[in-house]
Amino acid sequence: MNRRDELAANLAEVRDRIEKACAAARRDPSEVMLLAVTKTWPASDVELLYELGLRDFAENRDQEAGAKAAQLGHLADARWHMVGRLQRNKAKSVVGWADQVDSVDSVRLAEALAKAARAAGRKLDVLLQVSIDGDTSRGGVAVADVAEVANVITRSGDLILRGAMTVAPLTMKPAQAFEALASVVSGLRDDHPTAVELSAGMSGDLEDAISHGSTCVRVGTALLGGRRLTSP
């Protein structure tokens, strides 16, 4: 099986899982975006997934992602998401290639991204990364601090708050984590009308996420195979 056929088969299987999960939750599959996590995989894989119909791709390392996005600049409507932990000194570089940063987890990072977006003369879509269990050492803002960071994002005028994301902690059942995130997003929507996205669920737990209202599942392994250890 060549790489295109392999990716096509994987994509069909993932889409089938999403459709079945949506049916079980009585949701329309069109409500759930499939975000392909292409970190460590070559640009050629992204191009194949694009040809197979995907448009949103996630990366977690600025240097790798910037080079990949530049190489694939001819894919005019491809959207690039930064999903990894981001240092403030990388804000300017990330604004140069990312359409959305899904991992905003502090006031200082929000301010750095807003400054970089302003300098670039553009608006930047962002998600708040929420630490459901409160262990912010792994990334994410504590639930108690969500409102503060959200307000900074909205007041900046340069960032557009699109919602929130989380990764289910190993110490919690995924369903429990996703239920908690749904509650956070519900509160965000009351004060920030643009914050409609609930990004949760990966290859191993996307069904649980969809059952709790996820609007975006981030899938890497189930699409592309076992993670490569080094960047191409």
Side-chain angles (χ1 to χ4, degrees), residues 29-165:
S30 66
E31 297 174 1
V32 181
M33 181 180 78
L34 173 55
L35 175 57
V37 182
T38 52
K39 62 184 183 182
T40 77
W41 293 97
S44 57
D45 280 353
V46 177
E47 188 151 24
L48 288 172
L49 289 171
Y50 180 93
E51 292 172 1
L52 292 167
L54 295 187
R55 292 295 180 268
D56 287 80
F57 306 96
E59 295 284 328
N60 74 336
R61 292 176 57 204
D62 171 55
Q63 185 174 4
E64 176 188 346
K68 201 176 293 184
Q71 184 177 346
L72 297 171
H74 57 286
L75 306 181
D77 57 344
R79 294 189 80 251
W80 295 94
H81 298 242
M82 176 63 173
V83 296
R85 294 196 75 177
L86 179 59
Q87 296 178 330
R88 297 190 307 279
N89 63 4
K90 296 289 187 180
K92 180 178 179 181
S93 179
V94 167
V95 165
W97 61 265
D99 297 286
Q100 181 166 302
V101 175
D102 294 7
S103 50
V104 178
D105 61 0
S106 72
V107 166
R108 295 178 72 186
L109 177 56
E111 291 173 341
L113 287 169
K115 180 179 179 180
R118 190 179 314 122
R122 58 167 297 200
K123 304 290 185 183
L124 179 69
D125 291 337
V126 301
L127 298 183
L128 271 175
Q129 181 175 350
V130 181
S131 173
I132 294 299
D133 64 356
D135 184 358
T136 57
S137 66
R138 297 195 308 273
V141 58
V143 172
D145 297 325
V146 163
E148 178 189 8
V149 183
N151 287 336
V152 169
I153 290 170
T154 301
R155 287 198 303 264
S156 74
D158 304 290
L159 308 179
I160 302 173
L161 181 60
R162 294 300 185 188
M165 69 86 85

